[in-house]
Amino acid sequence: MAKTVKKFETEVQQLLDLVIHSLYSNKEIFLRELISNASDAIDKIKFESHSNMELLEGNADWKIKLHADKEAGTLTITDNGIGMSMDEVADNIGTIAKSGTKNFVAALKEQNLTDNPELIGQFGVGFYASFMVADKVVLTTRRAGDKQYGCRWESTGDGSYSIEECEKETRGTEIVLHLKDEMKEFLDEWKIRSIVKKYSDYVQYPVVMDITRSEPVKDAEGKVIEGGGTIDTTTEETLNSMKAIWTRPKSEITEEEYEEFYKHISHDYDKPLSTIHYSAEGVSEFKAIVYIPSHKPFDMFLRDHKKGVHLYVKRVYITDNCEALLPDYLRFIKGVVDSSDLPLNVSREILQEDVQIKRIQKSLVGKVLSTLAEMKEKNIEDYLKFYAEFGPVLKEGIHFDYANKEKLQDLLLFESSKTEKGKLVSLKEYVERMPEGQKEIYFITGMSRESVENSPYMEALRKKDYEVLYMTDPVDEWVVQAVHEYQEKHLKAIDRGDLELDTEEEKKEKEAKKEEAQKEFGGVIEYIQETLKDRVKEVRLSSRLTESACCLVADEMGLNANMEKILKAMNQEVPEGKRILELNPEHQIMQVMTAMFEKDKNNPKLADYSELLFDQALLTEGSPIKDPLRFTKLVSELMVTSGK
């Protein structure tokens, strides 16, 4: 058959231009695609040879060979796979986006065969990635079992191709890329090695290349001959490891191998805290090895931080930053997920939005959280190490992952008024040791243990001997917005809203005292309210103070001082709002101010004392006061007066 020149089918030039210029974001992917196609071809002949051994033609030494010729400017990729006939070349290569592999899989499904080889080429456009780097591509192929005819296909990517019969001694396919001048870097040994290592390291067949090295001439005993010059020696080296550790049974993998693989993918030279190796079968099939690191990476809170799970499809590398595999609050997880049935877009670079990826994420998240729960239950020391490093990140999930909120709640730990500094308690432990009369889970947010422990808000709780959770991570403010209750116990902030700590009898007794106090101090309370009307929402008697004179309280759903500080630190606008000034009716200052008020309602000292109370409340919660100079002046005057 003479050489025939044909036009590509479909809207050729537009599609070819798309593949060459737009489809792939990284030009080095061309080699991944060609190696993947070669791997598919070997898979096919291995499968078909089960029923017809003659197809092997005496050659079952599977390999994919690369050859870089710098003088000719060509890169050649050869395989001993199934090869193609003339009709298959015209059908599969002559038509863009028509995949022989896809048809092969469809045919197997029609025959209801179960032992299908895992094939990665599903779209038929990967071959055309060659034209990103080559201005001419020559493909020579012969189908296994057809020793009479081979086929040569050639194109410069201009919308047409030539095809002709030719002789080819061995089965399989050879692709010669005539590289563009600006793409000659792909002939360098180091470049080829790096691409194979990155994308095709775990392809199950050896990717080999002849490597030539100059060595000094040696004598028969192996000693270097002085002045003997050098001699070039060429050896065939395998560029990929083929060691996809995740495909092996757990029983065959040693701890050292798990650690070595972790260091390889994470670039972390410390041991991981925990290793999770499992296979998912059924609706969603994938294999995974993921690790919980022993310490957080330096860039974990940076905006451009990359997640650590590498995605493979049929052992071929896709990406090291698959955001769809794990939610952001598990971004510290390192590892590999290899799916056998994950749909990709035509470039294999970007995952399609598909229910399958959501299933993988659900399974993966569930496995990580159950592993953490087991660690917390059976190895608390390891869990505390994990929580010290990743607790604040894990807490982010409470706000965003509603489906797993209950599991995440059980993983939370906090310091409390009943723990020593640095010791932590879970919500479950808190509830288990609640006294009989306690109805709610009490907590306080703040910047440090010291600030919340010495807060006036703690006074009534301390008197009742009720435990209070100290929430001192900035993220805790968002955690409590999502966790409203635990085991039917409402979470109550002790610096917001009304605080009801008493039994019915105690409540009646306190109400009676409060009514008396209101009658006694009503006038001065109204005066303070009027004086501070621009700064406070309300002035009222407090049921939470036993020692301090005053405190500022937010509404039940309002912003407290800690949240305001966090928002300001984030350069966020803080909504304008006034809080409630609570006064301790048992504090002596109330009698002093009442006596002054009854004696002379126009006494200017009353206004000064009102401002001092407000500033005092700000200082005790750690907030700045408006006029520090005036505050110090008033305090100094008060000291002088009381000292006379």
Side-chain angles (χ1 to χ4, degrees), residues 408-464:
L408 286 164
Q409 285 177 179
D410 283 325
L411 295 173
L412 298 180
L413 297 175
F414 305 97
E415 288 190 62
S416 85
S417 57
K418 296 284 188 181
T419 66
E420 298 175 18
K421 185 174 182 179
K423 302 294 183 181
L424 303 173
V425 62
S426 67
L427 291 173
K428 182 181 178 183
E429 290 169 325
Y430 180 101
V431 170
E432 286 174 349
R433 61 196 194 200
M434 282 173 60
E436 189 175 341
Q438 185 177 339
K439 300 174 184 177
E440 297 176 302
I441 298 172
Y442 297 110
F443 71 89
I444 182 172
T445 58
M447 305 306 288
S448 67
R449 180 184 177 113
E450 290 73 19
S451 65
V452 296
E453 197 165 35
N454 298 317
S455 168
Y457 305 114
M458 288 289 299
E459 293 172 4
L461 281 297
R462 194 178 290 116
K463 188 174 182 180
K464 278 280 188 180

Side-chain angles (χ1 to χ4, degrees), residues 110 139 167 218 459 524 529 643:
E110 286 179 11
L139 176 146
E167 291 186 4
K218 299 177 182 177
E459 293 172 4
V524 77
Q529 170 101 39

Side-chain angles (χ1 to χ4, degrees), residues 528 532 549-552 581-583 587 589-590 593 606-620 631:
I528 297 171
L532 300 176
C550 58
C551 67
L552 284 166
L581 178 65
E582 288 195 350
L583 304 173
H587 198 281
I589 189 65
M590 295 302 296
M593 289 187 70
L606 282 169
D608 292 343
Y609 280 21
S610 299
E611 289 187 21
L612 281 172
L613 282 172
F614 179 71
D615 286 347
Q616 180 182 328
L618 288 172
L619 288 172
T620 54
F631 176 79

Side-chain angles (χ1 to χ4, degrees), residues 170-217:
T170 58
R171 68 161 195 273
T173 301
E174 175 188 274
I175 300 172
V176 181
L177 308 180
H178 295 260
L179 298 183
K180 301 172 184 176
D181 288 339
E182 65 271 23
M183 298 296 169
K184 295 295 174 65
E185 65 172 321
F186 293 112
L187 297 174
D188 293 335
E189 179 192 331
W190 71 269
K191 186 68 173 178
I192 294 171
R193 282 183 183 275
S194 67
I195 295 173
V196 172
K197 188 71 177 174
K198 180 177 181 180
Y199 294 103
S200 307
D201 195 42
Y202 304 115
V203 169
Q204 61 182 316
Y205 307 111
V207 179
V208 302
M209 186 166 70
D210 289 337
I211 304 297
T212 300
R213 297 280 186 264
S214 293
E215 297 180 354
V217 177

Side-chain angles (χ1 to χ4, degrees), residues 150-163:
C151 172
R152 180 178 290 111
W153 178 98
E154 184 176 321
S155 177
T156 57
D158 59 355
S160 65
Y161 63 92
S162 66
I163 188 169

Side-chain angles (χ1 to χ4, degrees), residues 212 238 298 342 415 417-418 444 467 520 570 572 602:
T212 300
T238 300
F298 72 92
L342 191 64
E415 288 190 62
S417 57
K418 296 284 188 181
I444 182 172
E467 185 171 12
E520 183 180 355
M570 296 167 63
Q572 302 237 346
N602 297 317

